[in-house]
Amino acid sequence: MDTVLLDMDPGHDDALALLVALSCLPVRGVTTVAGNQIVEKTYLNTRRILDVAGIHCEVVRGASKPLFRPLVVADRVHGDSGLDGYDFPLIAPARSVDAFSWLRQRIREEPKVRWIATGPLTNVAVWLMGHPDLREKITDITVMGGALRGGNVTRYAEFNFYVDPDAAQYVLTSGVPVSLVGLDVTHKALLSFHEFYRFKELRTPVGEMFYQLFAFFSQHEPNAGPEGTPVHDVLAVAALAQPHLFQWTPMALHVERCDDEHRGKMTVIPSQGAVPGVNVATDIDVEGFFSWMWQQLEYYRK
Ligand code: RIB
Ligand code: CA
């Protein structure tokens, strides 16, 4: 499998996606983006998660705001730190290299790369704009974002696409193959509260971390309820690693960028030759997904 790059805004569900990806994919490194929290916090959170797991993986700090708009964070969902609910050990401060030159180096030195993006698409859009000569080295981009029916930050828009609708529109119509995992499937894969004990059962700091993080997240995620808590981002990892768990439908998509109630809304447009299609996940084998997810998390069992 081609080398995998992760672009994330940890965030509780990003944390789960990060460690599941590291357990089963050839991850070359992580670029962090402003989204759930400011980029200084999403960068620190990524390093904190890796520290708890005892994993060395390159992490760099990317865009601090959307392409053309002020940043909107999800502090009511992820807390002031962006990863509230777990008392992380202190880690030494680090100076990040520039994410975009780091990406240029990594993508230049690899034959091909695959990208998984689980936050606003600002980093991905900026990099694609600046590197037309290297685009063919990107096999595909698997994105957690968007929704065909109903949003989670407004009635129309999913959070990642709401924060940076311009970047979302650019990436979806860039011509680079995109697999899109939106709320239509992430709201089907709900982690039930009684399943949280399985984190504890790993009997490692990683298990305890996820148990406490999801105890917090389950009380703050807007679509969490008695049936369970969405795990959003880890479905993008599953989509790349186990695409057969999903039903895929090619669609030409448009993202609303007017600053009104429709901002970030994703709509299907008549598929014209000019607009490249996006592979949209329209259904998921929920049981098969969770069976796969818990199997990958065995990597973190004592
Ligand atoms: O709408 C869910 C998405 O927004 C997830 O990526 C979550 O981490 C937040 O960023
Ligand atoms: Ca995210």
Side-chain angles (χ1 to χ4, degrees):
M1 169 167 310
D2 297 338
T3 295
V4 174
L5 294 171
L6 303 179
D7 186 76
M8 312 185 113
D9 64 334
H12 292 68
D13 54 328
D14 301 76
L16 184 57
L18 172 59
L19 292 193
V20 169
L22 285 166
S23 76
C24 63
L25 295 174
V27 175
R28 181 62 187 79
V30 188
T31 49
T32 55
V33 66
N36 284 325
Q37 258 299 350
I38 61 172
V39 71
E40 290 76 9
K41 292 181 178 178
T42 61
Y43 172 62
L44 171 62
N45 289 341
T46 305
R47 297 180 55 243
R48 281 171 160 174
I49 298 156
L50 295 170
D51 175 62
V52 169
I55 294 177
H56 173 73
C57 176
E58 287 188 73
V59 185
V60 293
R61 190 173 58 204
S64 59
K65 64 177 288 295
L67 293 179
F68 310 119
R69 300 163 194 260
L71 176 63
V72 173
V73 297
D75 51 341
R76 282 177 297 162
V77 178
H78 298 273
D80 182 59
S81 73
L83 266 186
D84 281 16
Y86 181 71
D87 187 13
F88 285 91
L90 284 177
I91 57 174
R95 285 180 57 78
S96 170
V97 298
D98 167 66
F100 302 102
S101 43
W102 181 88
L103 279 168
R104 182 169 53 248
Q105 279 303 100
R106 300 295 78 76
I107 293 170
R108 270 199 178 131
E109 66 197 15
E110 298 289 345
K112 283 279 196 180
V113 298
R114 304 186 74 180
W115 226 331
I116 297 176
T118 63
L121 289 169
T122 318
N123 288 341
V124 177
V126 168
W127 193 87
L128 289 176
M129 286 175 197
H131 298 85
D133 57 317
L134 292 175
R135 276 191 186 193
E136 86 284 347
K137 301 199 73 178
I138 315 282
T139 305
D140 55 12
I141 307 171
T142 304
V143 172
M144 192 280 135
L148 292 169
R149 278 171 298 281
N152 61 355
V153 67
T154 68
R155 59 188 291 205
Y156 298 112
E158 178 278 327
F159 177 76
N160 291 332
F161 280 22
Y162 177 83
V163 169
D164 201 338
D166 310 287
Q169 172 72 13
Y170 186 85
V171 173
L172 294 187
T173 57
S174 65
V176 177
V178 171
S179 297
L180 186 68
V181 178
L183 299 182
D184 311 282
V185 290
T186 69
H187 281 170
K188 290 184 178 178
L190 303 178
L191 184 63
S192 57
F193 194 76
H194 76 266
E195 288 274 286
F196 284 14
Y197 81 91
R198 297 184 66 171
F199 289 131
K200 261 193 182 298
E201 274 209 327
L202 295 172
R203 292 186 173 75
T204 53
V206 165
E208 187 57 31
M209 171 183 71
F210 281 138
Y211 179 80
Q212 294 188 27
L213 285 177
F214 275 82
F216 176 94
F217 193 50
S218 66
Q219 301 304 311
H220 296 81
E221 212 288 337
N223 290 279
E227 309 76 39
T229 301
V231 290
H232 298 303
D233 294 335
V234 65
L235 274 75
V237 178
L240 188 150
Q242 302 287 321
H244 65 276
L245 291 173
F246 299 79
Q247 177 184 83
W248 298 98
T249 309
M251 301 178 186
L253 298 173
H254 174 79
V255 181
E256 296 295 341
R257 278 107 64 212
C258 296
D259 242 341
D260 59 17
E261 62 169 346
H262 295 284
R263 167 179 162 174
K265 179 181 177 182
M266 183 176 86
T267 50
V268 182
I269 54 180
S271 55
Q272 305 130 352
V275 180
V278 170
N279 234 359
V280 179
T282 44
D283 205 355
I284 180 174
D285 168 2
V286 174
E287 190 180 334
F289 160 71
F290 277 117
S291 169
W292 171 83
M293 185 190 89
W294 288 115
Q295 191 182 4
Q296 306 321 305
L297 285 169
E298 284 299 308
Y299 181 84
Y300 300 102
R301 178 181 292 280
K302 183 171 252 166

